Amino acid sequence: MKDKRFFTTIFAMAIFCLLNAAPMFGQCVIPITDSQPYFEDFEGDGFDCWTVEANGGQWAPMSGTESTVVCFSASNVNDEARLISPIFDMSGVAAATFSFSYAMMGLYESDELTVSYRSSETDAWHELGYFSFSDWENFYEEMYELPDLSSTYQISFLGRNLGGFYIFVDNVEIVSEQGCARPVGLQATDITAFSALLGWSVNGNEESWVLDYNGTNITVTEQPYLLDGLRPSTTYTFRVKANCGDGQESDWATPISFTTLCDVIVVTDNEPYFDDFEASEDFVCWQNEILAGSDGWVVDPGYVNPNNTAFFIWLGESARLISAPLDLTAVSNPTLTFNRKQPQLGGAVDELSVYYRISEDEEWQFLGAYNEAASSWEPVSLSLPNPSATYQISFFAVSFNGYGIYVDDVYVGKGENVGVAETSVKASVMPNPTTGKVMVETNATDGEVVVFDMFGKQVASTSIREGRAEIDLTDCAKGVYVAHIASASSTTTIKLIKE
């Protein structure tokens, strides 16, 4: 289960994570029956019946912006600590399920979380699940059938530091098979501008569910459930609880949020589409489709650049940023323009490609690719072929361990004098190789030439005057350089060799 709604909570809780060892309390024995489940959200004194076996690491309750969770933290690699539950007397139930929510934060390494059970204090721990990843935005949920039930049953969460930040655990529940288990694994799929398909876990003894979305409650008898009548470009938070008959109701599931898509945006000659990503610190009318890895496109709220930009995070592998459907049927000579920045990291540059499709059901068609370093903003202009009433563009990013990709000031509308000759900058450089000065000749009447070394550092720049520009590399070291020749509407790149 994922829920971006918890990102600010996780981040705030990380700041306030308690580093002191959790106190050891007297042992508790909690009976589990068909009518008496166990649920712990660690609010109040809920932690009192839990114990910690510390080996350098710590587990402790921690209050965030919305709720209290239990946090694992450690200072040194390989430090660990085991969080041990109260004793559960399950001798009176034939079967039981165990569920919990968790989150893991890391940077270059991921910590380890191992979930186990034992039938008695003298029994060895038996693994139920193992997790090792980093996600700074989401909580997840897991559910297990518990084996080997006994009157002295315990579960545990073993955290181990491998260089990450924190592990969080919350909402621990144990319910007999005859009880009414809290739904887990909430998800929203097949999201459109007006509907979403909502799903959750089913245990088999539910008669119905109460579905709450943005404060509106409805009773449903099927899962997944198609929720329609929604508003475009609107964020909805939904949760669900089970009704198992005979007055039995579960606790509410951990809520998740989703945002409906934008309706078709009509573009005309007088009303172009423009997005500089300033409206929000999340995308409005764009979809981030992660194709490989765990990171993708985000809105960078001015951390690196002065204003918001679309940013492909460098820890990702590949992802596609997809526009809302655009109605281009009334546009003369439809054109896409945008600014790109692709900084190098140790000589590596991530790759950006641009695609279009005429409808959601059609295949993506290639428009252009950019794999040269750009440490400052470079404009790109592309003609949009085959305009339709449901047109979409996408920015496809692939990580090659560079320093990420930035896209900003996306414009779709009427093109002015757009064509191959006008938008394609052609240039030549003489002499190349060179021992000093080089002359750039280009079909661009004005613009700029900027030269970078192979580490992305700018070493020279000059303006284009009547299609010519002179670059002086006399004081530069021998090696390979990259010259970016940019007009007002397009850019080309030439490799220079200094001897």
Side-chain angles (χ1 to χ4, degrees):
M1 186 279 293
K2 293 186 174 184
D3 184 7
K4 294 184 73 172
R5 193 174 71 94
F6 282 93
F7 171 63
T8 54
T9 301
I10 295 175
F11 196 77
M13 291 189 300
I15 297 174
F16 296 109
C17 188
L18 305 178
L19 299 179
N20 297 322
M24 303 293 287
F25 293 93
Q27 193 62 269
C28 299
V29 178
I30 299 175
I32 304 296
T33 67
D34 292 342
S35 61
Q36 183 176 335
Y38 173 80
F39 180 75
E40 183 55 72
D41 59 5
F42 302 105
E43 305 292 338
D45 58 359
F47 193 65
D48 288 2
C49 287
W50 292 72
T51 57
V52 175
E53 292 180 355
N55 185 16
Q58 309 294 342
W59 284 96
M62 180 179 58
S63 296
T65 59
E66 294 184 9
S67 64
T68 299
V69 301
V70 178
C71 167
F72 168 79
S73 62
S75 300
N76 302 309
V77 173
N78 293 321
D79 284 353
E80 61 183 29
R82 187 184 296 273
L83 175 65
I84 304 173
S85 75
I87 294 174
F88 299 110
D89 182 354
M90 292 195 278
S91 58
V93 299
T97 59
F98 158 55
S99 65
F100 62 96
S101 57
Y102 66 102
M104 305 183 73
M105 298 168 60
L107 261 181
Y108 301 106
E109 299 292 340
S110 301
D111 292 338
E112 293 180 335
L113 174 65
T114 304
V115 184
S116 305
Y117 79 92
R118 65 184 180 187
S119 296
S120 70
E121 289 185 279
T122 60
D123 187 17
W125 289 106
H126 307 284
E127 183 177 313
L128 287 169
Y130 170 84
F131 312 96
S132 181
F133 64 90
S134 174
D135 188 335
W136 284 64
E137 294 187 352
N138 302 304
F139 261 83
Y140 295 79
E141 288 187 314
E142 296 290 336
M143 176 178 284
Y144 298 98
E145 294 289 333
L146 290 177
D148 307 326
L149 300 184
S150 71
S151 61
T152 54
Y153 207 86
Q154 289 181 295
I155 58 173
S156 73
F157 300 92
L158 177 65
R160 183 166 178 248
N161 179 25
L162 294 180
F165 279 137
Y166 303 109
I167 301 173
F168 304 105
V169 170
D170 201 7
N171 298 331
V172 177
E173 182 179 66
I174 297 177
V175 182
S176 82
E177 64 176 350
Q178 300 301 318
C180 201
R182 180 177 62 99
V184 299
L186 275 62
Q187 58 181 340
T189 59
D190 297 345
I191 299 171
T192 71
F194 306 100
S195 65
L197 189 65
L198 308 182
W200 52 86
S201 65
V202 174
N203 295 297
N205 59 343
E206 302 93 343
E207 294 184 355
S208 62
W209 294 270
V210 178
L211 173 65
D212 172 85
Y213 63 100
N214 284 13
T216 298
N217 286 3
I218 58 174
T219 298
V220 302
T221 57
E222 61 184 11
Q223 186 284 139
Y225 178 77
L226 181 63
L227 182 64
D228 55 15
L230 305 178
R231 299 177 59 185
S233 189
T234 301
T235 298
Y236 290 89
T237 299
F238 94 92
R239 58 179 183 166
V240 65
K241 66 178 178 179
N243 177 4
C244 302
D246 297 328
Q248 288 194 91
E249 278 191 343
S250 73
D251 288 303
W252 284 106
T254 304
I256 71 166
S257 298
F258 65 92
T259 301
T260 51
L261 304 183
C262 286
D263 200 1
V264 175
I265 299 173
V266 178
V267 183
T268 67
D269 288 351
N270 296 324
E271 295 184 357
Y273 171 76
F274 179 76
D275 196 346
D276 58 5
F277 306 106
E278 297 299 321
S280 170
E281 291 191 5
D282 204 350
F283 290 115
V284 178
C285 295
W286 293 83
Q287 301 176 64
N288 174 34
E289 181 184 3
I290 297 175
L291 302 175
S294 60
D295 297 301
W297 289 91
V298 299
V299 174
D300 173 21
Y303 293 142
V304 176
N305 301 287
N307 302 306
N308 287 15
T309 61
F311 172 49
F312 174 69
I313 191 167
W314 58 84
L315 298 178
E317 293 183 27
S318 64
R320 191 185 296 275
L321 183 62
I322 305 172
S323 75
L326 305 171
D327 184 349
L328 302 185
T329 56
V331 181
S332 303
N333 196 13
T335 302
L336 164 68
T337 66
F338 63 94
N339 291 321
R340 75 172 183 102
K341 185 188 290 187
Q342 291 166 246
Q344 289 188 108
L345 181 62
V349 180
D350 297 328
E351 183 173 277
L352 172 67
S353 301
V354 185
Y355 291 81
Y356 79 93
R357 64 184 179 189
I358 60 175
S359 73
E360 188 176 352
D361 299 327
E362 297 294 328
E363 296 293 325
W364 290 106
Q365 305 296 322
F366 177 77
L367 283 172
Y370 309 90
N371 55 15
E372 297 289 343
S375 60
S376 57
W377 289 109
E378 291 192 354
V380 178
S381 182
L382 297 166
S383 293
L384 295 177
N386 306 317
S388 71
T390 54
Y391 207 87
Q392 288 182 293
I393 59 171
S394 70
F395 297 100
F396 176 62
V398 179
S399 173
F400 289 103
N401 298 316
Y403 207 73
I405 298 171
Y406 297 87
V407 168
D408 203 4
D409 299 333
V410 178
Y411 166 94
V412 177
K414 179 182 178 181
E416 299 292 343
N417 300 320
V418 175
V420 173
E422 289 78 13
T423 60
S424 178
V425 171
K426 300 182 185 300
S428 61
V429 179
M430 293 294 291
N432 190 16
T434 181
T435 57
K437 296 181 179 180
V438 296
M439 179 61 69
V440 178
E441 294 188 352
T442 173
N443 63 342
T445 57
D446 54 22
E448 186 179 28
V449 179
V450 183
V451 180
F452 301 91
D453 65 18
M454 294 309 292
F455 296 98
K457 179 181 178 182
Q458 181 177 323
V459 298
S461 67
T462 190
S463 298
I464 299 170
R465 305 289 185 190
E466 298 181 350
R468 295 169 64 88
E470 186 179 69
I471 291 289
D472 189 353
L473 302 181
T474 302
D475 295 331
C476 295
K478 295 180 180 180
V480 178
Y481 296 84
V482 176
H484 293 271
I485 298 97
S487 69
S489 61
S490 188
T491 301
T492 192
T493 301
I494 294 179
K495 183 180 294 185
L496 298 176
I497 299 176
K498 169 69 186 301
E499 293 183 335

